[in-house]
Amino acid sequence: MKLLTCPLNGSRNIAEFTYGGEYHATPDHISTSARDWAEHVFFHDNAAGMVTEWWCHTASSFWFLAERNTITDEVIRTFKADEIYTERIDFSAAKTESRS
Amino acid sequence: MPFGLLKYGLSSQYPAKHHFTPSKDLKKHYDVVIIGGGGHGAAIAYNLAKYHGITNVAILEKAYLGGGNTARNTAVIRSNYLTESGVKFYSESVKLYNNLSNEFNYNVMMENRGQLTLAHSDAAIRSFRWRAEVNQHMGVRSELVDRQTISELVPNLNMSEDSRYPILAGLWHADGATARHDAVAWGYAKGACDRGVELHQLTEVEDIEITSGRVTAVKTNRGKVECGCVVQAVAGASSIVAKKAGIPLPIHCYPLQAMVTQPYKPILTPHVSSPQVHVYVHQTSRGEFVIGGGSDPYPLYNTRATLDQRESLSAAAMELFPFLSQARLLRQWAGTTDMTPDYSPIMGLSPVENYYLDAGWGTWGFKATPICGVTMAELVATKKVPEIIRPFELERFYRFEQINEAGATAASH
Ligand SMILES: Cc1cc2nc3c(=O)[nH]c(=O)nc-3n(C[C@H](O)[C@H](O)[C@H](O)COP(=O)(O)OP(=O)(O)OC[C@H]3O[C@@H](n4cnc5c(N)ncnc54)[C@H](O)[C@@H]3O)c2cc1C
């Protein structure tokens, strides 16, 4: 059995987790072009080696990040998202003038 | 007889003549450099040499011919996809497969055994009806069949209504087939090398030189090679190689695993697949049961086999064919599959003018080998994208025009 350490629930069977994709900084939702959005959504680094990625502990719906080596399949560390997201992201709609 | 065999074994004629000319030194320049000596790379070279008279071509392969996913796949050939673009493309490939042994004068052991996909839910029946309609409209033999017909097609299948997912109906695809995967790669490579193409094994492309939007040379572990253009056909290494040319791709690599039992007498003719229990099974002409369908649940560049997959594939295979509980496994293996978001390939032009892509083959690219050879060679020779592969261009992701074959690929073959 392969184990993964959830920052909230501790060490659990990896079957309890869902892989959530590569971590990328979120583009600015107002100024980003359609082309850049397409790249953000569909394209991946798909790196062979160290990657930072999202995981979710399915049973508790807890999302967190992991650093993993995609060649050796070793998880180096897992951590809570607040290490990266230190401020609230403002998802409010674009101002009227920038929409026109 | 025994003396005949002994004489053959000791004679200087043995072992038989090599299929291919052994690799020489690399030349300074090739008109076309093909990165990747899998079935696809070999097929592209073959078509360039035979049908376009382009023979100053090198296939650069980092390991050995056909040792990548071409060696690891379960050789299911079919065209019962869902989209018009997909069905048109794969059915052309099936036609080419049917003539491949004649084309090569070399036996690729093509067997037209048919393919049966099982529905265990009403939703699956609805989607099968949809696929059957699209397929028939495009001249592909596909039909919805009932339980009675299923038991006639596959007498050993577990039709019990007490199983966890009872079988309700099926999608019967009479055009479904299988062929010997190694023979396909060897046939193409032999035909290409006989016409002057150079196959360089143990030659890894380490870097790609781009000058003002054009590729001018590739650097390998055996030195630098200048080139008129490059075709990349490296399947599981697609993102890694494209990155050297500065091209980002919408690909994630997952290991896909499969396994095979010891040989038995022939008792299963068609290929049987279940998207619901997530397994497919067929019996090879050597008698082994091939059991496939299991991708790892997260991306990885590693071809280890896992106990998790062995358990889940075995459980699913035994649900369909209970007698397999007595079977012994001979081998279990994995290949690195280059998965796209819409389960369709990425073929054709790239942002680099003379750099062509043949990527995103995921769990479905063996069946496409012949048509890739034809269309990619035509692209290289004429610089025009053939109509049949235009829908698969990389640009589709920027236009949000994906070609969704996720459902038709649900059991990963
Ligand atoms: C378990 C499994 C089952 C499958 N089942 C089916 C099936 O039933 N039906 C189906 O249609 N498809 C199936 N597939 C998918 C199919 O195997 C592949 O899509 C197909 O073989 C791809 O062929 P290719 O020639 O493009 O790639 P490959 O055969 O992988 O060849 C690519 C080659 O590129 C070489 N290479 C990589 N990097 C470099 C470099 N930097 N320089 C030089 N060379 C390099 C590699 O060594 C390799 O030999 C399956 C795959 C797997 C793993």
Side-chain angles (χ1 to χ4, degrees), chain B residues 34-42 60-77 81 203-206 233-237 240-241 244 255-258 271 280 282 333-338 358 361-369 412-413:
Chain B
I34 298 171
I35 312 177
H40 286 218
L60 307 182
E61 164 54 52
K62 77 170 176 192
Y64 61 94
L65 171 72
N69 285 356
T70 298
R72 296 155 200 271
N73 79 91
T74 48
V76 179
I77 298 168
Y81 281 78
T203 308
E204 177 168 4
V205 172
E206 293 170 339
V234 292
I240 298 170
V241 173
K244 298 182 199 296
L256 177 67
Q257 300 191 33
H271 178 267
Y280 56 86
H282 68 261
W333 68 91
T336 306
T337 57
D338 39 332
D358 176 73
W361 288 108
T363 64
W364 52 84
F366 174 69
K367 67 180 71 61
T369 307
S412 309
H413 55 79

Side-chain angles (χ1 to χ4, degrees), chain B residues 183-343:
Chain B
V184 171
W186 297 338
Y188 276 122
K190 181 176 177 353
C193 292
D194 287 350
R195 292 175 175 83
V197 169
E198 290 180 15
L199 169 66
H200 292 280
Q201 302 179 100
L202 299 175
T203 308
E204 177 168 4
V205 172
E206 293 170 339
D207 210 355
I208 296 168
E209 280 185 15
I210 312 273
T211 322
S212 34
R214 290 180 62 85
V215 53
T216 50
V218 298
K219 285 191 187 140
T220 78
N221 56 334
R222 298 174 55 213
K224 182 166 142 178
V225 176
E226 289 165 12
C227 55
C229 68
V230 166
V231 184
Q232 117 162 34
V234 292
S238 290
S239 301
I240 298 170
V241 173
K243 192 181 238 170
K244 298 182 199 296
I247 304 166
L249 293 178
I251 286 178
H252 253 158
C253 286
Y254 288 82
L256 177 67
Q257 300 191 33
M259 52 196 202
V260 71
T261 68
Q262 65 189 121
Y264 289 89
K265 284 183 197 167
I267 47 170
L268 177 63
T269 306
H271 178 267
V272 179
S273 167
S274 167
Q276 173 94 52
V277 299
H278 220 94
V279 75
Y280 56 86
V281 180
H282 68 261
Q283 193 178 15
T284 68
S285 45
R286 283 189 300 217
E288 300 161 347
F289 284 89
V290 176
I291 302 171
S295 286
D296 280 58
Y298 53 87
L300 198 65
Y301 283 98
N302 192 319
T303 50
R304 85 276 186 269
T306 63
L307 184 60
D308 276 5
Q309 288 292 336
R310 182 145 70 246
E311 264 189 322
S312 59
L313 286 175
S314 305
M318 282 188 280
E319 171 151 353
L320 300 184
F321 297 105
F323 65 85
L324 284 178
S325 64
Q326 302 300 318
R328 282 166 202 279
L329 289 179
L330 278 189
R331 293 186 297 283
Q332 182 191 0
W333 68 91
T336 306
T337 57
D338 39 332
M339 303 295 290
T340 55
D342 57 0
Y343 288 63

